[in-house]
Amino acid sequence: ETNTLPFHPFENQQGDILRMEKEHQVLTEQLKEAEEKFEQLQSRSLEEIGALEELLKKSIEETEVSQNELDWFHQDSEAQTKKWQQEKKENRENLKALRGTAKKHSDTNERHLKTIDDKEKQYNACLNTFLETSNKFANEKGKLEELIKKSQDNSQECVKRAVKAEVSVLQNWKETEIWKLRGTIAKAEGNLRMLKALSSSASAAPVLKPQIGSWEIFISNVKKQLEKVEAEYEEKIELVKNGARNCLSKVEIVDVPSP
């Protein structure tokens, strides 16, 4: 009867221990497979977690860049908004000023229209008076035309005489100024010759050399003044001959101080 009856308390019926051993072996194999799968799954999970962490880091960096760009965009948007508000304010002020100007021009236009109407009425009244009196003065027109022609001839003759007189005055002024400047140049050249003669001695040369230079500069400046005066008077004379008016004025003379 050995091993033919259940082994109490471990078996309720025969074969429970063998069945439990088989189940334990099966469970052990399943546990081993589960542990292998868990290790594989854990390895893949670690790799996926590493990749996800890298992706997350990259996403965070991109998010920071996007946030910076968004901040910049907000700042630019605020600046643009302020600029648009300022332009809007300026446009409103300009529009207000333009409306005021338009109203001012409109009022001025109305005043001008009224003035034109008044002037037109005055013109019509004057025209009627002119038409009434034109026949009266028709005979005098010929006489007036003759007088006008005679006056024009006299005026032209007066203009010719006036031009001739202005030219004569300018010519006299020119000759007077040129005579004065040439006299100054002659005196200065005499002084220069005397200084050069005195500077022939070795003892006097160092003392007189600066004075000789000063007189040479003075003579050069006076000659330039002479050329300027002569040219400006000639220009005035030509302008007068060509019909210009208000040219009868003396040329400004710069007083060149002598050494």
Side-chain angles (χ1 to χ4, degrees):
E1 295 180 354
T2 301
N3 295 330
T4 58
L5 295 174
F7 180 46
H8 294 287
F10 302 102
E11 289 181 329
N12 293 322
Q13 60 183 1
Q14 189 179 3
D16 284 346
I17 292 175
L18 292 175
R19 189 171 53 255
M20 289 176 65
E21 288 180 354
K22 291 179 180 179
E23 290 177 357
H24 180 269
Q25 186 177 1
V26 170
L27 291 173
T28 301
E29 291 177 355
Q30 290 179 353
L31 179 61
K32 184 177 181 181
E33 291 177 358
E35 287 177 352
E36 291 176 354
K37 290 182 180 179
F38 174 74
E39 290 176 356
Q40 293 175 358
L41 181 62
Q42 187 178 20
S43 176
R44 288 199 302 271
S45 298
L46 290 175
E47 292 177 357
E48 292 178 355
I49 289 171
L52 289 174
E53 287 178 350
E54 290 294 329
L55 183 61
L56 179 61
K57 182 179 179 182
K58 184 177 180 181
S59 298
I60 292 173
E61 292 176 354
E62 292 178 352
T63 302
E64 291 178 353
V65 173
S66 299
Q67 184 65 37
N68 293 332
E69 293 178 351
L70 183 60
D71 294 339
W72 176 83
F73 176 76
H74 284 161
Q75 293 176 359
D76 184 67
S77 178
E78 290 177 358
Q80 291 292 336
T81 302
K82 290 181 181 179
K83 181 180 179 182
W84 292 336
Q85 289 177 352
Q86 183 65 25
E87 290 179 352
K88 184 178 179 181
K89 181 179 178 182
E90 292 177 355
N91 290 333
R92 285 181 178 176
E93 293 176 354
N94 292 332
L95 180 61
K96 183 178 179 181
L98 289 173
R99 285 177 178 173
T101 305
K103 187 176 184 303
K104 182 178 178 182
H105 289 331
S106 178
D107 296 340
T108 304
N109 189 31
E110 290 179 359
R111 289 197 303 271
H112 288 334
L113 289 174
K114 187 175 183 302
T115 303
I116 289 171
D117 291 337
D118 295 339
K119 295 295 182 181
E120 187 175 1
K121 291 178 181 178
Q122 294 177 5
Y123 169 76
N124 291 327
C126 293
L127 179 62
N128 293 329
T129 302
F130 171 75
L131 292 174
E132 291 176 357
T133 57
S134 61
N135 293 329
K136 179 180 178 181
F137 294 103
N139 294 327
E140 298 180 2
K141 181 179 178 181
K143 296 179 181 179
L144 290 174
E145 288 178 350
E146 291 179 359
L147 290 174
I148 290 171
K149 186 176 183 302
K150 185 176 180 181
S151 297
Q152 288 177 346
D153 295 338
N154 293 334
S155 176
Q156 291 178 357
E157 185 64 27
C158 290
V159 169
K160 290 179 181 179
R161 290 200 301 271
V163 169
K164 186 177 180 180
E166 288 185 8
V167 170
S168 178
V169 171
L170 291 172
Q171 190 70 32
N172 288 333
W173 284 348
K174 183 187 79 169
E175 292 176 356
T176 301
E177 296 298 337
I178 289 174
W179 178 80
K180 290 179 181 178
L181 292 173
R182 285 179 176 171
T184 302
I185 292 171
K187 291 179 181 179
E189 288 177 346
N191 292 335
L192 183 61
R193 286 194 297 271
M194 181 181 66
L195 289 172
K196 286 183 178 180
L198 293 173
S199 66
S200 58
S201 66
S203 60
V207 179
L208 297 177
K209 186 176 180 180
Q211 297 183 21
I212 291 172
S214 299
W215 279 103
E216 288 176 345
I217 293 172
F218 172 73
I219 293 170
S220 176
N221 291 333
V222 175
K223 286 182 178 180
K224 290 179 181 178
Q225 185 71 18
L226 175 63
E227 293 175 357
K228 175 178 175 295
V229 168
E230 189 172 6
E232 290 187 8
Y233 271 116
E234 288 296 331
E235 183 180 358
K236 285 178 176 290
I237 290 170
E238 288 299 323
L239 289 173
V240 171
K241 288 181 179 180
N242 292 327
R245 294 292 178 266
N246 300 324
C247 294
L248 194 61
S249 61
K250 288 186 176 183
V251 173
E252 184 179 357
I253 306 299
V254 179
D255 186 15
V256 181
S258 61

